[in-house]
Amino acid sequence: MGDDHQLLMGVLDDYLTAFQVLDSDGNGRIERAEMRGLFETMVHRRVHDSEIELLFEKANLNGDGSTICFSEFLELIRSHTVDLQMVLDYMKLKPHENKPQPSSERSARQRSIRARSQPVEEVNDDKNVDKMPAIKPGEVAEVSSLKQLESVLETHSNVVLEVTYRYCRPCKMFARKYDAIAEQFPNIAFLKVVGDKNDNTRELIKQLQVRLSPTFIAYKNAERKQLV
């Protein structure tokens, strides 16, 4: 448990960055050609097909075997099969191209901007605002008030809280990965708060003093340890 907690609390942003570096086409999965590019660039030799196949066999947690998802990538890091620092060094070597933004991305960005300028319908949940949320291993639970958060911190020694907003496009893009992390670390309570849901969540965000989204706050024995 201590190893899991250290892995998660220390460099969560590095793990996400490393995965996104290898996932060059942005489809949420690492393919063989992408992994081969990493090793051939960093070890300065041709990597045999058998080596890549062995790596994918070790990563095959979900029975797919054809690609590596984020939770499988985390397992490769934990087992030291893939070195995190090597991936981060690889990121520095990759050329950064200033590609024109596709029209689909421009349209999505425009929709996001319009959504932020429009009023968001309130979701009132006053009846359950003081009730402790159900915490299930491997799942993300939603909190809506400071009292709910405090109740979880009182009963769970390791907690990670994500601050998100309904208009936040990066938050939506990261949702599946956050769920995957929760599945990988069932001994940690994973929470999220939707900052623009209602007055209670806005008050919680104010108490947390968070200005960016998504933001991740890690707690150890009810003590705030790190903000990413």
Side-chain angles (χ1 to χ4, degrees):
M1 179 57 218
D3 291 341
D4 283 353
H5 183 265
Q6 182 180 8
L7 177 145
L8 183 65
M9 305 283 258
V11 285
L12 178 60
D13 53 341
D14 283 346
Y15 289 96
L16 296 174
T17 300
F19 182 82
Q20 291 167 351
V21 167
L22 295 179
D23 178 24
S24 58
D25 57 5
N27 67 354
R29 291 183 173 274
I30 299 172
E31 299 176 1
R32 282 170 171 75
E34 294 168 330
M35 188 63 76
R36 181 186 296 276
L38 163 69
F39 281 95
E40 292 191 344
T41 299
M42 300 309 295
V43 301
H44 306 291
R45 68 171 177 82
R46 184 180 180 279
V47 177
H48 296 290
D49 292 342
S50 59
E51 295 177 273
I52 297 296
E53 291 305 317
L54 180 61
L55 182 67
F56 272 70
E57 285 179 14
K58 290 183 177 180
N60 188 20
L61 299 179
N62 60 13
D64 178 354
S66 60
T67 58
I68 296 175
C69 65
F70 184 68
S71 60
E72 292 171 329
F73 176 71
L74 280 178
E75 185 58 35
L76 288 176
I77 295 291
R78 291 178 62 193
S79 63
H80 303 290
T81 305
V82 173
D83 181 65
L84 174 64
Q85 189 58 52
M86 180 175 68
V87 182
L88 296 177
D89 291 341
Y90 174 66
M91 175 181 66
K92 298 175 184 177
L93 295 175
K94 288 187 67 176
H96 297 281
E97 302 177 0
N98 294 320
K99 298 179 180 179
Q101 191 179 45
S103 58
S104 59
E105 292 187 14
R106 289 198 301 270
S107 299
R109 179 172 176 79
Q110 291 168 355
R111 288 195 298 269
S112 176
I113 294 174
R114 285 197 296 270
R116 297 184 73 162
S117 64
Q118 295 174 354
V120 180
E121 183 181 354
E122 293 283 315
V123 178
N124 293 315
D125 195 20
D126 292 336
K127 293 181 180 179
N128 299 316
V129 70
D130 293 333
K131 183 179 179 181
M132 178 175 170
I135 306 297
K136 299 179 180 180
E139 296 184 11
V140 177
E142 184 174 343
V143 294
S144 300
S145 69
L146 181 60
K147 189 166 184 178
Q148 284 188 341
L149 174 60
E150 289 175 341
S151 67
V152 177
L153 294 177
E154 289 173 0
T155 55
H156 293 76
S157 57
N158 298 293
V159 177
V160 174
L161 172 67
E162 178 192 19
V163 176
T164 180
Y165 289 85
R166 286 181 287 176
Y167 64 73
C168 173
R169 187 184 177 202
C171 300
K172 295 176 181 177
M173 293 174 64
F174 183 70
R176 287 187 179 181
K177 293 179 180 179
Y178 192 53
D179 289 339
I181 296 174
E183 292 178 4
Q184 190 73 15
F185 298 92
N187 293 324
I188 297 175
F190 284 84
L191 308 174
K192 73 173 182 179
V193 54
V194 183
D196 58 346
K197 188 174 183 179
N198 52 44
D199 289 340
N200 293 317
T201 59
R202 276 189 282 273
E203 180 60 27
L204 174 55
I205 297 301
K206 184 178 178 180
Q207 294 289 332
L208 295 172
Q209 298 182 337
V210 172
R211 295 182 175 85
L212 301 176
S213 64
T215 291
F216 302 90
I217 305 173
Y219 296 88
K220 175 69 174 178
N221 295 326
E223 181 181 353
R224 183 164 164 167
K225 290 292 185 180
Q226 186 167 349
L227 183 147
V228 177

